[in-house]
Amino acid sequence: DLSSGINAEYGKSYAEFTEKLDSRLDKSNGNINCLWDFSLRPISLQIAPYESIDLVELVKTDNKGLNKVILVLSSLCLEVSNLKSQLFDSFLPALLMYGERSDIDNLAKGEAQLMIGRILPLLQDIRCFISRCQEVAKSIITQLDVLYGQNQILQSIVMKDVHFLTVFEALGTLLTLQVVLDEVIENSNLLNEHWTLYRSILRSVHKSEFNFDEKKLRTLEKLLSAFEVEIFDGHIFQNCIKQKFGHLSNGFQSELSYATSNLLATYDAATQASKDKDLQLSLLTPVTLFVLHCTVFHVQDKKTFRQVWDLHKRMPFIQLVGPVLLPLTSFLKRSLPFANKFVDKKMDTAVVTSRQSFLHNTNANLAKDVHIFRAQVAAWCSEVVDGSVMDGTVQTGLEKICGLLINGLVIAKNISSLIMMIMNMHYTLAKPITKSSVICCVELIQQLKIIECMFDEKQEVFAMSSSHLIQQLSLKILNNVETLKKKLTQDKKYSYSCLDVLAALGLIQHCLNGCCNGPRKLVCNLALEVARQGKTLSSDENMVFVNVFRRIEVITEYQSKVKAACDTSYMYWHRSIAPVYFAHIFTNPTLAPNLQYFFAGLADCRNPILSMKHLDSDADKLEMFVTDVKEYFQSEIIVPLCTEIETDLRLSTHSHLQLDDRNPLKYGMKNISTLLETPPIRFFDSFIDIKKDVTHYLDSTFYNLTTVALHDWRSYAVMRNLAHQKYGLEMIEAHLPSQTIEQGIDVLEIMRNIHIFVSRFSYNLNNQLFVEQSSNNKHLNTINIRHIANSIRTHGTGIMNTTINFTFQYLRKKFFVFSQFLYDDHIYSRLVKDARFFKEHKEELDQCYPYDKADKFNRGIRKLGLTPDGLSFLDQFRILITHIGNAMGYIRMIRSGGIHACANAIRFVPDLDDIVNLEELAKEEELPQDTVQAAAILDSVLENLTKNFAEGTAYFKMLVDVFTTSMRSPKNQHLKNFYMIIPPLTLNYVEQMMNGKEKINKKNKLGAAFTDDGFSMGIAYILKLLDQYSAFDSLHWFQSVNSKFNNEEKAVKESRRGASDVKLDQTNTLTMKRLDEYRQEFELLYYSLSSARIFFRTDVEDIPVEVEQTPLGGNATPAASSNAGPA
């Protein structure tokens, strides 16, 4: 018992928990978080009643006369309804959208005529539509004239006190359709312009020699002439009302006047109570009837005219369709010839004033109206979401749902009418709209879309309740009809009119016993107008019938009415407000969730855009509009958002630097994270994802900037982490090749600017690196093997051969200058003289070239002149050789970097000597062909890497071979004494290096250097090209230098022995220090030159052997220069 009690208690609490959870989930599902594109719905719920019963079967009573009248009039009214649907659904969108294309301002020759040619079928359909409208109008007038005529024999029913206002309203609607068509064609300036061009080019065909059928051309000309008269002349409405109707009776005239006054009063009162755009268009119904009355019966009703004219004070424009507005006063003056008699200048001035004041007052009250509508929509949504609507009795719940449905529809219509009036008036009057008005209009669009989405969210509730509501309302009418029938049957004095009333009431009962679709409601309205004759219905009973029938109409057609009320396709012509709104969203990021509603409003433009007839491709139709909106969004939100986030990340990353004050308490702060949290927005066939676009921008920017400045990779990595932590951006790593913090210039950059590189960088032979000579920064750039290997890994090994080609072209130019220098008479004569002197006195000099001779050459050449920088010709020649050596050092580094990159790439191969053939293994295992191909590719990659790693490329040998022939040719005999200039060059080089090293510790470091092995590389390379290794070795130059320094040291030491002067002792000490420094520099030069010569050897015999040529300061013993220094 205890366990069962515990289980029961637990089950009860769990049931309560699940019940609360379900209620909360239901309420949360009612919230509008994401809009669905209704045009993409695979399954939709349509509750509009439909039946295939014929109208003849529907109108059946015992009164055959009544049957005929109702059947004819209802058929005509249904025809008007079909014509209205055809005009607004098919013709008007195509006419309004004519000329909409991206290149409309720069059309190719003949394109305008092609556009007209594409809409010729549409114009033919419009012509048939106009003809049909005229026929139906004439038929309605003829039928009504017979009914209200004086000939009682022709009347099927008693027409006394019977007013078919529904039929007169249909007639007015039919005339209104033609007014709308007139206005749309007249407002399409481009259509009229292109039509004129098309007619003119067609007339010129006669004078041309085109191959065409004359008969077909004449037929086309007749058709075009008919279009001109019936469509483009702007008299569609006038042609209809000026038809030959025959002699119309006075009864019809009086009934037409009655219907006009009655409908005018009804719609005037309705437009005062509501801003519904449909009511505004319906207001044209009595106005067109008034024009018809004045035109057909040639009357000048001044009272009614003033009544209609005064409507402009409250409604200066009537909204027709899209951006087209109709000035009511202009329409009256154009349609009624006598209007100028009743209108003076004061009235015309009042019209202009009323338009401006109306627009001003509307803009002034717009913010207030937005606040009111926002409150109404919020209250309506809360009532719809509230689950207590069906609490209480069923009847009470149905009445609440009916009230919510009608209330939501009324709010939507009022909002839509206000938006269209403001935007279209600014568009028509060419008045600039303020930013505040734009923001208010967009907010109203958002409220519209909220209503539409709420209707969609709760369509199940409305759908399930609609049938019950219709039954309830139908029952109410049926009860009233039954009461009236009993009342009439109690009166035993039957008359013909009483019989007509009873038959009409029976017809209402018959129609309400089925689904309340359009034909049934129409028949009911006509029957009700017959039943109103006499005093059958009191005013209260009549209002009950009117209100109930109106509710039935709203409920049965609420889906189409909601769609029409919430339709914002007019935004196509006002899309220029988008950048203003987007900029406002960026300034106020908390409003970002409302973007989905604005794009939902823009999505309504799909149907008008696809209705274009002057373009062939649907993609072209949508592309222009989508591109415009996305460009607005990109420029006003994405670009500034990306810039602001990037700036914030940079400032936050470099907060340790001295930056401007960023105190949010002092300068404020925008929460731009709200923009990033906005879910992806569907716009036609694509999505707009703010977060994704910002992430892509930052990824691209950080990647590109990292590739430009690879040493900043750590800063951008910090920015990525900060972007993730602060803004939730899931950024991807750059995945660039591994780099070092001292990353130098890229190989591609060096290759393209090899002449600049060799002049600005100094080469170090032993460490294989280049060091920048001078820089405006606080650090010097360096290039080593790791940098080259990383660049080769980035760009591929193919860049190595390209680099060799660039270097070859560079060396060609340098060797030309090299040859010109040695060809100079001053240089050539000195070298020949020195060579002859050494040859003649070789034995006396102990086979050593004298140091004094080289020093004399070095000092004497300065007498030939100096450059503005203080450089002698020998200095410039030394620099030239250094540049050549730097280029060769760069080639050496390229080869080493390539081997290093191959080693890194192949380090995962277990055994380079035994690489398995993967392609054969894949074939043995019978793997798919794609796998076999992949294995073959991997085999070729491994083979290429192994070959490059094992062999490398003899780039030095290539560059020696390519220049050897030309350098050793008889034409270049002036180069044979090059080896004689090397001793003075070495003296010049040592002096330059001594000066460079002394400047390292000085404040002014211009010209400071600690290495310049490019000189050694250049000397070794040129000696190899000229085959002068033996000739240079015969000079025993370094032995001569050694002897020179030894003799000077002995002289200093001897002077120090017998000297007692302190100053002389200090001088001798400084002299010894100076001699040691010079000796050390010559030793370094000797080692570098000996090492550089090893790079250009081809076999063992090329290794120079110098007898008694030893490092300076050592004993004179035979030694191979291959041991002189590291390679």
Side-chain angles (χ1 to χ4, degrees), residues 1 80 229 253 291 295 302 334 399 483 507 603 611 617 679 834 932 1061:
D1 294 337
V80 172
V229 174
Q253 179 182 0
V291 175
T295 303
K302 184 176 182 180
R334 186 171 63 246
E399 289 178 356
T483 303
L507 185 57
S611 66
S617 173
D834 289 347
V932 176
D1061 190 356

Side-chain angles (χ1 to χ4, degrees), residues 170-183:
L171 176 61
T173 301
L174 187 61
L175 298 177
T176 300
L177 298 181
Q178 298 172 79
V179 173
V180 172
L181 191 56
D182 263 335
E183 290 297 319

Side-chain angles (χ1 to χ4, degrees), residues 348-524:
D348 283 335
T349 305
V351 170
V352 178
T353 305
S354 66
R355 291 176 184 175
Q356 296 177 352
S357 61
F358 179 83
L359 182 58
H360 178 268
N361 294 334
T362 305
N363 284 325
N365 298 326
L366 184 57
K368 180 182 177 181
D369 292 337
V370 170
H371 180 73
I372 294 173
F373 282 128
R374 189 191 303 121
Q376 291 178 354
V377 172
W380 181 79
C381 288
S382 63
E383 291 182 9
V384 174
V385 174
D386 188 10
S388 62
V389 176
M390 295 302 296
D391 292 347
T393 62
V394 176
Q395 183 175 357
T396 305
L398 291 176
E399 289 178 356
K400 288 182 180 179
I401 292 176
C402 183
L404 286 175
L405 195 151
I406 295 175
N407 190 27
L409 187 58
V410 170
I411 296 174
K413 287 186 175 182
N414 290 337
I415 292 176
S416 181
S417 299
L418 180 58
I419 300 171
M420 290 185 65
M421 181 57 71
I422 292 176
M423 290 189 172
N424 289 339
M425 283 192 68
H426 282 282
Y427 182 83
T428 303
L429 299 176
K431 296 286 185 181
I433 187 171
T434 62
K435 179 181 177 181
S436 58
S437 298
V438 169
I439 302 305
C440 290
C441 289
V442 174
E443 186 169 352
L444 291 175
I445 292 174
Q446 295 169 5
Q447 301 301 321
L448 264 185
K449 290 302 161 183
I450 290 174
I451 294 175
E452 183 180 19
C453 193
M454 186 59 69
F455 269 114
D456 182 71
E457 289 286 331
K458 297 298 179 180
Q459 62 176 330
E460 295 181 3
V461 176
F462 291 123
M464 289 188 295
S465 304
S466 61
S467 59
H468 300 296
L469 282 171
I470 294 173
Q471 290 180 4
Q472 183 187 29
L473 296 173
S474 300
L475 180 62
K476 191 173 184 179
I477 293 178
L478 290 173
N479 291 335
N480 291 339
V481 168
E482 191 63 30
T483 303
L484 288 174
K485 289 181 69 175
K486 289 181 180 179
K487 179 180 176 181
L488 289 174
T489 52
Q490 290 176 358
D491 187 5
K492 297 183 180 179
K493 297 179 180 179
Y494 281 141
S495 60
Y496 288 109
S497 60
C498 184
L499 293 175
D500 292 339
V501 171
L502 287 172
L505 294 175
L507 185 57
I508 293 174
Q509 289 179 320
H510 175 65
C511 290
L512 290 179
N513 284 329
C515 63
C516 291
N517 56 5
R520 287 179 180 270
K521 288 180 289 185
L522 177 61
V523 172
C524 287

Side-chain angles (χ1 to χ4, degrees), residues 7 44 95 155 159 213 217 356 399 404 424 523 556 706 954:
N7 291 336
S44 61
L95 292 175
Q155 296 178 355
M159 294 300 298
D213 190 345
L217 181 63
Q356 296 177 352
E399 289 178 356
L404 286 175
N424 289 339
V523 172
T556 54
T706 304

Side-chain angles (χ1 to χ4, degrees), residues 158-171:
V158 178
M159 294 300 298
K160 185 179 179 180
D161 296 330
V162 176
H163 306 288
F164 284 117
L165 295 181
T166 302
V167 183
F168 281 102
E169 185 177 4
L171 176 61

Side-chain angles (χ1 to χ4, degrees), residues 294-312:
C294 295
T295 303
V296 173
F297 296 102
H298 306 288
V299 297
Q300 299 181 7
D301 190 348
K302 184 176 182 180
K303 179 180 178 181
T304 308
F305 177 82
R306 285 295 179 88
Q307 185 180 359
V308 175
W309 181 272
D310 289 341
L311 291 175
H312 77 84

